[in-house]
Amino acid sequence: MTFLIQNIFNALQWGSFYSMIALGYCLVYGVLRLINFAHGDIFMTSTYIAFFIVAFIASHFAGITGVPLFVITLVCTMALTALLGVGIEKVAYKPLRAKGANRLYVVITALMIGFILENGNLAVLGASAKSFPDILPKHVWNIGPVTITSLKVLVIVTSIVIFAILQFIVQVTTLGMSMRAISYDKFAIPLMGIPVNTVITFTFALGSALAAVAGILFGMSYPVMDPYMGTIIGWKAFIAAVVGGIGDIKGAFLGGFLLGFIEIFVTAFLPSSYKDLVSFVILLVILTIKPTGFFGVAKSTKI
């Protein structure tokens, strides 16, 4: 039982990272029907942004530590990463959208942006891994034989809070209703006076900010950074979003936790080298049975 409970907490933490990144994929796809394959590298870039923000504060404002340092780093990283996401949308995606480019070209562009972020990081900072600094003091709680850290609880609670806030934004706010409307019929929406470009910009900013939250918490949990750290976790988060039903926030959120549980428990009972093999076979079986994912709905295209 101790082994089971301990691995449940580990799975919740790991699934939280997948869920937060998958929500970014879900937002952009829900509005534009675009898979932003650069999202994993935006997550990676946000971790480096946080790293340099912490280094700057430590060198100029040594008195700021603990929770104030975490809050300042989180806010600044979210803002800068949101600007990065908006810049990518304006420079790379908007011109293609304006010209009505085929989706294949948009996918190629997204992959290209990812390569630019990875190799730009490699060219500027070098190939050597960096160690993410300790921002918050870590506390360990022993509940019977089960060990829980304050960072693990922070990651899990943050992912749930983000999901709740995102649900509120999408379901209640005017911008959220505009996002859902564009997803439903992007051609009729301009006729209703809704500023489509503003909504798209907001979507990219919000999705990138979510990646920043995941990036900071991931860096604090696994403090080894390299330019390719976002590739695998980004692809897995995308797969989790597809299994949950990409385009549906609940699906992306639960899909991330599903993949987290599968990976942790496969590793717990089998050699770690089997993790990806077994995990993706299980996900393939799920998609074979339900191709739209758990919460996805099959849509027909009017010609």
Side-chain angles (χ1 to χ4, degrees):
M1 182 60 68
T2 301
F3 175 80
L4 178 63
I5 295 174
Q6 190 70 65
N7 278 289
I8 286 175
F9 276 102
N10 293 338
L12 286 171
Q13 181 187 25
W14 196 237
S16 295
F17 294 123
Y18 286 143
S19 293
M20 285 186 280
I21 300 171
L23 287 172
Y25 279 111
C26 179
L27 280 174
V28 174
Y29 181 82
V31 173
L32 290 177
R33 291 294 181 263
L34 160 68
I35 305 298
N36 183 19
F37 285 118
H39 193 64
D41 294 300
I42 292 174
F43 156 82
M44 174 273 297
T45 306
S46 72
T47 309
Y48 277 87
I49 291 173
F51 171 82
F52 286 111
I53 289 174
V54 173
F56 176 81
I57 293 175
S59 62
H60 291 81
F61 307 96
I64 300 177
T65 58
V67 175
L69 175 60
F70 173 74
V71 172
I72 293 172
T73 303
L74 180 65
V75 172
C76 293
T77 303
M78 289 178 68
L80 292 175
T81 309
L83 287 175
L84 173 65
V86 171
I88 290 173
E89 192 277 326
K90 296 295 184 186
V91 172
Y93 298 140
K94 187 177 180 180
L96 294 175
R97 193 171 67 250
K99 295 179 180 179
N102 187 287
R103 286 186 182 180
L104 177 61
Y105 302 138
V106 180
V107 170
I108 293 172
T109 301
L111 293 171
M112 177 193 68
I113 292 296
F115 288 136
I116 289 173
L117 291 175
E118 291 171 6
N119 292 283
N121 188 328
L122 189 65
V124 174
L125 301 177
S128 59
K130 297 186 181 299
S131 178
F132 195 86
D134 289 329
I135 300 178
L136 289 174
K138 297 179 182 178
H139 303 284
V140 179
W141 299 304
N142 294 310
I143 305 174
V146 178
T147 301
I148 304 173
T149 65
S150 56
L151 182 56
K152 189 170 295 186
V153 173
L154 176 64
V155 171
I156 297 169
V157 171
T158 300
S159 68
I160 296 172
V161 170
I162 283 177
F163 170 70
I165 293 173
L166 196 57
Q167 277 283 80
F168 175 80
I169 290 174
V170 172
Q171 298 296 330
V172 177
T173 67
T174 303
L175 272 172
M177 288 187 281
S178 300
M179 291 164 63
R180 288 187 285 125
I182 293 174
S183 175
Y184 182 75
D185 191 338
K186 66 179 180 181
F187 297 106
I189 290 308
L191 303 177
M192 309 300 294
I194 296 175
V196 175
N197 287 329
T198 300
V199 175
I200 292 173
T201 298
F202 173 76
T203 303
F204 270 88
L206 183 58
S208 300
L210 295 181
V213 177
I216 292 176
L217 295 176
F218 189 86
M220 294 167 61
S221 303
Y222 307 97
V224 178
M225 305 159 48
D226 69 83
Y228 300 104
M229 62 181 285
T231 304
I232 297 299
I233 192 170
W235 278 104
K236 288 184 177 180
F238 164 64
I239 293 169
V242 172
V243 170
I246 192 164
D248 186 284
I249 292 175
K250 298 186 298 295
F253 183 70
L254 295 178
F257 280 104
L258 174 64
L259 181 56
F261 269 84
I262 291 174
E263 288 195 348
I264 292 298
F265 278 94
V266 167
T267 306
F269 292 101
L270 296 173
S272 59
S273 57
Y274 286 84
K275 179 183 68 173
D276 289 343
L277 173 63
V278 177
S279 300
F280 290 126
V281 167
I282 292 173
L283 296 179
L284 180 61
V285 170
I286 293 173
L287 288 177
T288 302
I289 297 172
K290 190 168 175 51
T292 58
F294 288 118
F295 292 91
V297 178
K299 294 184 178 181
S300 58
T301 302
K302 181 184 289 187
I303 300 176

PDB file of all heavy atoms in Angstrom, residues 234-263:
ATOM      1  N   GLY A 234       7.349  17.683 -24.801  1.00  0.00           N
ATOM      2  CA  GLY A 234       6.374  18.380 -25.636  1.00  0.00           C
ATOM      3  C   GLY A 234       5.587  17.421 -26.514  1.00  0.00           C
ATOM      4  O   GLY A 234       4.357  17.515 -26.626  1.00  0.00           O
ATOM      5  N   TRP A 235       6.288  16.473 -27.121  1.00  0.00           N
ATOM      6  CA  TRP A 235       5.603  15.476 -27.959  1.00  0.00           C
ATOM      7  C   TRP A 235       4.663  14.620 -27.120  1.00  0.00           C
ATOM      8  O   TRP A 235       3.549  14.292 -27.535  1.00  0.00           O
ATOM      9  CB  TRP A 235       6.626  14.595 -28.670  1.00  0.00           C
ATOM     10  CG  TRP A 235       7.195  15.210 -29.899  1.00  0.00           C
ATOM     11  CD1 TRP A 235       8.429  15.764 -30.059  1.00  0.00           C
ATOM     12  CD2 TRP A 235       6.549  15.349 -31.181  1.00  0.00           C
ATOM     13  NE1 TRP A 235       8.588  16.243 -31.337  1.00  0.00           N
ATOM     14  CE2 TRP A 235       7.451  15.994 -32.052  1.00  0.00           C
ATOM     15  CE3 TRP A 235       5.295  14.994 -31.660  1.00  0.00           C
ATOM     16  CZ2 TRP A 235       7.140  16.286 -33.374  1.00  0.00           C
ATOM     17  CZ3 TRP A 235       4.973  15.281 -32.978  1.00  0.00           C
ATOM     18  CH2 TRP A 235       5.902  15.926 -33.819  1.00  0.00           C
ATOM     19  N   LYS A 236       5.126  14.227 -25.931  1.00  0.00           N
ATOM     20  CA  LYS A 236       4.278  13.390 -25.074  1.00  0.00           C
ATOM     21  C   LYS A 236       3.052  14.151 -24.598  1.00  0.00           C
ATOM     22  O   LYS A 236       1.954  13.584 -24.511  1.00  0.00           O
ATOM     23  CB  LYS A 236       5.090  12.878 -23.889  1.00  0.00           C
ATOM     24  CG  LYS A 236       6.104  11.805 -24.258  1.00  0.00           C
ATOM     25  CD  LYS A 236       6.816  11.263 -23.039  1.00  0.00           C
ATOM     26  CE  LYS A 236       7.769  10.143 -23.418  1.00  0.00           C
ATOM     27  NZ  LYS A 236       8.468   9.593 -22.231  1.00  0.00           N
ATOM     28  N   ALA A 237       3.215  15.431 -24.291  1.00  0.00           N
ATOM     29  CA  ALA A 237       2.066  16.239 -23.878  1.00  0.00           C
ATOM     30  C   ALA A 237       1.072  16.375 -25.033  1.00  0.00           C
ATOM     31  O   ALA A 237      -0.148  16.357 -24.815  1.00  0.00           O
ATOM     32  CB  ALA A 237       2.535  17.610 -23.417  1.00  0.00           C
ATOM     33  N   PHE A 238       1.591  16.500 -26.252  1.00  0.00           N
ATOM     34  CA  PHE A 238       0.702  16.560 -27.418  1.00  0.00           C
ATOM     35  C   PHE A 238      -0.082  15.259 -27.562  1.00  0.00           C
ATOM     36  O   PHE A 238      -1.299  15.260 -27.806  1.00  0.00           O
ATOM     37  CB  PHE A 238       1.530  16.832 -28.678  1.00  0.00           C
ATOM     38  CG  PHE A 238       0.809  16.545 -29.961  1.00  0.00           C
ATOM     39  CD1 PHE A 238      -0.312  17.272 -30.319  1.00  0.00           C
ATOM     40  CD2 PHE A 238       1.236  15.536 -30.807  1.00  0.00           C
ATOM     41  CE1 PHE A 238      -0.991  17.006 -31.500  1.00  0.00           C
ATOM     42  CE2 PHE A 238       0.571  15.258 -31.987  1.00  0.00           C
ATOM     43  CZ  PHE A 238      -0.546  15.991 -32.334  1.00  0.00           C
ATOM     44  N   ILE A 239       0.600  14.121 -27.396  1.00  0.00           N
ATOM     45  CA  ILE A 239      -0.071  12.829 -27.486  1.00  0.00           C
ATOM     46  C   ILE A 239      -1.118  12.703 -26.388  1.00  0.00           C
ATOM     47  O   ILE A 239      -2.226  12.197 -26.614  1.00  0.00           O
ATOM     48  CB  ILE A 239       0.962  11.692 -27.408  1.00  0.00           C
ATOM     49  CG1 ILE A 239       1.850  11.722 -28.654  1.00  0.00           C
ATOM     50  CG2 ILE A 239       0.289  10.333 -27.261  1.00  0.00           C
ATOM     51  CD1 ILE A 239       3.064  10.822 -28.584  1.00  0.00           C
ATOM     52  N   ALA A 240      -0.783  13.175 -25.187  1.00  0.00           N
ATOM     53  CA  ALA A 240      -1.750  13.148 -24.088  1.00  0.00           C
ATOM     54  C   ALA A 240      -2.985  13.972 -24.426  1.00  0.00           C
ATOM     55  O   ALA A 240      -4.116  13.569 -24.132  1.00  0.00           O
ATOM     56  CB  ALA A 240      -1.096  13.676 -22.814  1.00  0.00           C
ATOM     57  N   ALA A 241      -2.777  15.130 -25.076  1.00  0.00           N
ATOM     58  CA  ALA A 241      -3.908  15.971 -25.467  1.00  0.00           C
ATOM     59  C   ALA A 241      -4.772  15.266 -26.505  1.00  0.00           C
ATOM     60  O   ALA A 241      -6.004  15.353 -26.463  1.00  0.00           O
ATOM     61  CB  ALA A 241      -3.399  17.304 -26.019  1.00  0.00           C
ATOM     62  N   VAL A 242      -4.138  14.552 -27.421  1.00  0.00           N
ATOM     63  CA  VAL A 242      -4.894  13.830 -28.452  1.00  0.00           C
ATOM     64  C   VAL A 242      -5.694  12.700 -27.823  1.00  0.00           C
ATOM     65  O   VAL A 242      -6.867  12.475 -28.170  1.00  0.00           O
ATOM     66  CB  VAL A 242      -3.931  13.279 -29.531  1.00  0.00           C
ATOM     67  CG1 VAL A 242      -4.681  12.363 -30.501  1.00  0.00           C
ATOM     68  CG2 VAL A 242      -3.283  14.427 -30.293  1.00  0.00           C
ATOM     69  N   VAL A 243      -5.087  11.969 -26.892  1.00  0.00           N
ATOM     70  CA  VAL A 243      -5.796  10.875 -26.230  1.00  0.00           C
ATOM     71  C   VAL A 243      -6.982  11.404 -25.430  1.00  0.00           C
ATOM     72  O   VAL A 243      -8.062  10.802 -25.408  1.00  0.00           O
ATOM     73  CB  VAL A 243      -4.828  10.093 -25.315  1.00  0.00           C
ATOM     74  CG1 VAL A 243      -5.590   9.105 -24.437  1.00  0.00           C
ATOM     75  CG2 VAL A 243      -3.801   9.351 -26.151  1.00  0.00           C
ATOM     76  N   GLY A 244      -6.809  12.547 -24.785  1.00  0.00           N
ATOM     77  CA  GLY A 244      -7.908  13.129 -24.035  1.00  0.00           C
ATOM     78  C   GLY A 244      -8.982  13.725 -24.920  1.00  0.00           C
ATOM     79  O   GLY A 244     -10.139  13.852 -24.499  1.00  0.00           O
ATOM     80  N   GLY A 245      -8.617  14.071 -26.144  1.00  0.00           N
ATOM     81  CA  GLY A 245      -9.552  14.721 -27.063  1.00  0.00           C
ATOM     82  C   GLY A 245      -9.116  16.139 -27.303  1.00  0.00           C
ATOM     83  O   GLY A 245      -9.608  17.066 -26.647  1.00  0.00           O
ATOM     84  N   ILE A 246      -8.162  16.325 -28.220  1.00  0.00           N
ATOM     85  CA  ILE A 246      -7.563  17.640 -28.416  1.00  0.00           C
ATOM     86  C   ILE A 246      -8.617  18.646 -28.863  1.00  0.00           C
ATOM     87  O   ILE A 246      -9.487  18.349 -29.681  1.00  0.00           O
ATOM     88  CB  ILE A 246      -6.393  17.571 -29.418  1.00  0.00           C
ATOM     89  CG1 ILE A 246      -5.599  18.869 -29.394  1.00  0.00           C
ATOM     90  CG2 ILE A 246      -6.876  17.226 -30.810  1.00  0.00           C
ATOM     91  CD1 ILE A 246      -4.245  18.777 -30.041  1.00  0.00           C
ATOM     92  N   GLY A 247      -8.538  19.820 -28.298  1.00  0.00           N
ATOM     93  CA  GLY A 247      -9.565  20.827 -28.531  1.00  0.00           C
ATOM     94  C   GLY A 247     -10.511  20.943 -27.348  1.00  0.00           C
ATOM     95  O   GLY A 247     -11.254  21.908 -27.229  1.00  0.00           O
ATOM     96  N   ASP A 248     -10.464  19.954 -26.451  1.00  0.00           N
ATOM     97  CA  ASP A 248     -11.285  19.972 -25.246  1.00  0.00           C
ATOM     98  C   ASP A 248     -10.366  20.105 -24.036  1.00  0.00           C
ATOM     99  O   ASP A 248      -9.464  19.288 -23.844  1.00  0.00           O
ATOM    100  CB  ASP A 248     -12.116  18.682 -25.154  1.00  0.00           C
ATOM    101  CG  ASP A 248     -13.105  18.723 -23.997  1.00  0.00           C
ATOM    102  OD1 ASP A 248     -12.668  18.554 -22.849  1.00  0.00           O
ATOM    103  OD2 ASP A 248     -14.308  18.907 -24.246  1.00  0.00           O
ATOM    104  N   ILE A 249     -10.587  21.135 -23.225  1.00  0.00           N
ATOM    105  CA  ILE A 249      -9.701  21.407 -22.095  1.00  0.00           C
ATOM    106  C   ILE A 249      -9.708  20.265 -21.088  1.00  0.00           C
ATOM    107  O   ILE A 249      -8.663  19.848 -20.586  1.00  0.00           O
ATOM    108  CB  ILE A 249     -10.106  22.734 -21.424  1.00  0.00           C
ATOM    109  CG1 ILE A 249      -9.820  23.898 -22.368  1.00  0.00           C
ATOM    110  CG2 ILE A 249      -9.347  22.945 -20.119  1.00  0.00           C
ATOM    111  CD1 ILE A 249     -10.301  25.224 -21.852  1.00  0.00           C
ATOM    112  N   LYS A 250     -10.892  19.737 -20.797  1.00  0.00           N
ATOM    113  CA  LYS A 250     -10.972  18.611 -19.854  1.00  0.00           C
ATOM    114  C   LYS A 250     -10.184  17.421 -20.380  1.00  0.00           C
ATOM    115  O   LYS A 250      -9.489  16.729 -19.628  1.00  0.00           O
ATOM    116  CB  LYS A 250     -12.428  18.207 -19.627  1.00  0.00           C
ATOM    117  CG  LYS A 250     -13.305  19.265 -19.013  1.00  0.00           C
ATOM    118  CD  LYS A 250     -14.674  18.721 -18.691  1.00  0.00           C
ATOM    119  CE  LYS A 250     -15.431  18.257 -19.914  1.00  0.00           C
ATOM    120  NZ  LYS A 250     -15.754  19.332 -20.841  1.00  0.00           N
ATOM    121  N   GLY A 251     -10.293  17.183 -21.682  1.00  0.00           N
ATOM    122  CA  GLY A 251      -9.582  16.050 -22.272  1.00  0.00           C
ATOM    123  C   GLY A 251      -8.076  16.202 -22.177  1.00  0.00           C
ATOM    124  O   GLY A 251      -7.363  15.256 -21.825  1.00  0.00           O
ATOM    125  N   ALA A 252      -7.573  17.408 -22.495  1.00  0.00           N
ATOM    126  CA  ALA A 252      -6.131  17.642 -22.416  1.00  0.00           C
ATOM    127  C   ALA A 252      -5.634  17.484 -20.985  1.00  0.00           C
ATOM    128  O   ALA A 252      -4.574  16.890 -20.735  1.00  0.00           O
ATOM    129  CB  ALA A 252      -5.801  19.042 -22.944  1.00  0.00           C
ATOM    130  N   PHE A 253      -6.409  17.999 -20.036  1.00  0.00           N
ATOM    131  CA  PHE A 253      -6.014  17.928 -18.624  1.00  0.00           C
ATOM    132  C   PHE A 253      -5.953  16.482 -18.145  1.00  0.00           C
ATOM    133  O   PHE A 253      -4.948  16.033 -17.578  1.00  0.00           O
ATOM    134  CB  PHE A 253      -7.013  18.736 -17.790  1.00  0.00           C
ATOM    135  CG  PHE A 253      -6.684  18.810 -16.333  1.00  0.00           C
ATOM    136  CD1 PHE A 253      -5.602  19.555 -15.891  1.00  0.00           C
ATOM    137  CD2 PHE A 253      -7.468  18.157 -15.394  1.00  0.00           C
ATOM    138  CE1 PHE A 253      -5.293  19.640 -14.536  1.00  0.00           C
ATOM    139  CE2 PHE A 253      -7.175  18.237 -14.047  1.00  0.00           C
ATOM    140  CZ  PHE A 253      -6.085  18.976 -13.617  1.00  0.00           C
ATOM    141  N   LEU A 254      -7.008  15.729 -18.393  1.00  0.00           N
ATOM    142  CA  LEU A 254      -7.054  14.338 -17.936  1.00  0.00           C
ATOM    143  C   LEU A 254      -6.112  13.447 -18.741  1.00  0.00           C
ATOM    144  O   LEU A 254      -5.554  12.488 -18.203  1.00  0.00           O
ATOM    145  CB  LEU A 254      -8.486  13.810 -18.023  1.00  0.00           C
ATOM    146  CG  LEU A 254      -9.487  14.504 -17.093  1.00  0.00           C
ATOM    147  CD1 LEU A 254     -10.892  13.950 -17.295  1.00  0.00           C
ATOM    148  CD2 LEU A 254      -9.069  14.327 -15.632  1.00  0.00           C
ATOM    149  N   GLY A 255      -5.921  13.764 -20.015  1.00  0.00           N
ATOM    150  CA  GLY A 255      -4.989  12.991 -20.830  1.00  0.00           C
ATOM    151  C   GLY A 255      -3.568  13.085 -20.311  1.00  0.00           C
ATOM    152  O   GLY A 255      -2.812  12.093 -20.325  1.00  0.00           O
ATOM    153  N   GLY A 256      -3.180  14.260 -19.821  1.00  0.00           N
ATOM    154  CA  GLY A 256      -1.853  14.420 -19.242  1.00  0.00           C
ATOM    155  C   GLY A 256      -1.668  13.551 -18.009  1.00  0.00           C
ATOM    156  O   GLY A 256      -0.639  12.893 -17.833  1.00  0.00           O
ATOM    157  N   PHE A 257      -2.679  13.514 -17.154  1.00  0.00           N
ATOM    158  CA  PHE A 257      -2.588  12.680 -15.946  1.00  0.00           C
ATOM    159  C   PHE A 257      -2.608  11.193 -16.307  1.00  0.00           C
ATOM    160  O   PHE A 257      -1.924  10.390 -15.657  1.00  0.00           O
ATOM    161  CB  PHE A 257      -3.721  13.012 -14.984  1.00  0.00           C
ATOM    162  CG  PHE A 257      -3.465  14.244 -14.176  1.00  0.00           C
ATOM    163  CD1 PHE A 257      -4.098  15.444 -14.472  1.00  0.00           C
ATOM    164  CD2 PHE A 257      -2.569  14.219 -13.120  1.00  0.00           C
ATOM    165  CE1 PHE A 257      -3.855  16.583 -13.725  1.00  0.00           C
ATOM    166  CE2 PHE A 257      -2.312  15.359 -12.368  1.00  0.00           C
ATOM    167  CZ  PHE A 257      -2.961  16.546 -12.671  1.00  0.00           C
ATOM    168  N   LEU A 258      -3.391  10.834 -17.315  1.00  0.00           N
ATOM    169  CA  LEU A 258      -3.421   9.440 -17.741  1.00  0.00           C
ATOM    170  C   LEU A 258      -2.043   8.976 -18.176  1.00  0.00           C
ATOM    171  O   LEU A 258      -1.558   7.910 -17.753  1.00  0.00           O
ATOM    172  CB  LEU A 258      -4.426   9.262 -18.886  1.00  0.00           C
ATOM    173  CG  LEU A 258      -4.459   7.877 -19.529  1.00  0.00           C
ATOM    174  CD1 LEU A 258      -4.921   6.827 -18.515  1.00  0.00           C
ATOM    175  CD2 LEU A 258      -5.365   7.873 -20.762  1.00  0.00           C
ATOM    176  N   LEU A 259      -1.373   9.783 -19.007  1.00  0.00           N
ATOM    177  CA  LEU A 259      -0.030   9.416 -19.462  1.00  0.00           C
ATOM    178  C   LEU A 259       0.945   9.389 -18.287  1.00  0.00           C
ATOM    179  O   LEU A 259       1.811   8.505 -18.213  1.00  0.00           O
ATOM    180  CB  LEU A 259       0.452  10.403 -20.522  1.00  0.00           C
ATOM    181  CG  LEU A 259       1.842  10.138 -21.108  1.00  0.00           C
ATOM    182  CD1 LEU A 259       1.929   8.733 -21.683  1.00  0.00           C
ATOM    183  CD2 LEU A 259       2.184  11.166 -22.182  1.00  0.00           C
ATOM    184  N   GLY A 260       0.813  10.327 -17.360  1.00  0.00           N
ATOM    185  CA  GLY A 260       1.676  10.333 -16.190  1.00  0.00           C
ATOM    186  C   GLY A 260       1.528   9.070 -15.363  1.00  0.00           C
ATOM    187  O   GLY A 260       2.524   8.462 -14.937  1.00  0.00           O
ATOM    188  N   PHE A 261       0.290   8.629 -15.143  1.00  0.00           N
ATOM    189  CA  PHE A 261       0.056   7.404 -14.375  1.00  0.00           C
ATOM    190  C   PHE A 261       0.603   6.186 -15.101  1.00  0.00           C
ATOM    191  O   PHE A 261       1.225   5.309 -14.488  1.00  0.00           O
ATOM    192  CB  PHE A 261      -1.441   7.243 -14.112  1.00  0.00           C
ATOM    193  CG  PHE A 261      -1.901   7.874 -12.827  1.00  0.00           C
ATOM    194  CD1 PHE A 261      -2.218   9.226 -12.774  1.00  0.00           C
ATOM    195  CD2 PHE A 261      -1.991   7.127 -11.666  1.00  0.00           C
ATOM    196  CE1 PHE A 261      -2.625   9.816 -11.594  1.00  0.00           C
ATOM    197  CE2 PHE A 261      -2.393   7.709 -10.479  1.00  0.00           C
ATOM    198  CZ  PHE A 261      -2.722   9.059 -10.427  1.00  0.00           C
ATOM    199  N   ILE A 262       0.380   6.125 -16.405  1.00  0.00           N
ATOM    200  CA  ILE A 262       0.874   4.970 -17.154  1.00  0.00           C
ATOM    201  C   ILE A 262       2.391   4.881 -17.071  1.00  0.00           C
ATOM    202  O   ILE A 262       2.964   3.824 -16.780  1.00  0.00           O
ATOM    203  CB  ILE A 262       0.416   5.057 -18.630  1.00  0.00           C
ATOM    204  CG1 ILE A 262      -1.097   4.858 -18.738  1.00  0.00           C
ATOM    205  CG2 ILE A 262       1.128   4.000 -19.470  1.00  0.00           C
ATOM    206  CD1 ILE A 262      -1.643   5.081 -20.129  1.00  0.00           C
ATOM    207  N   GLU A 263       3.083   6.005 -17.289  1.00  0.00           N
ATOM    208  CA  GLU A 263       4.539   5.985 -17.285  1.00  0.00           C
ATOM    209  C   GLU A 263       5.106   5.623 -15.915  1.00  0.00           C
ATOM    210  O   GLU A 263       6.034   4.818 -15.807  1.00  0.00           O
ATOM    211  CB  GLU A 263       5.084   7.335 -17.749  1.00  0.00           C
ATOM    212  CG  GLU A 263       4.897   7.607 -19.222  1.00  0.00           C
ATOM    213  CD  GLU A 263       5.744   8.763 -19.720  1.00  0.00           C
ATOM    214  OE1 GLU A 263       6.298   9.497 -18.890  1.00  0.00           O
ATOM    215  OE2 GLU A 263       5.841   8.926 -20.946  1.00  0.00           O
TER     216      GLU A 263
END
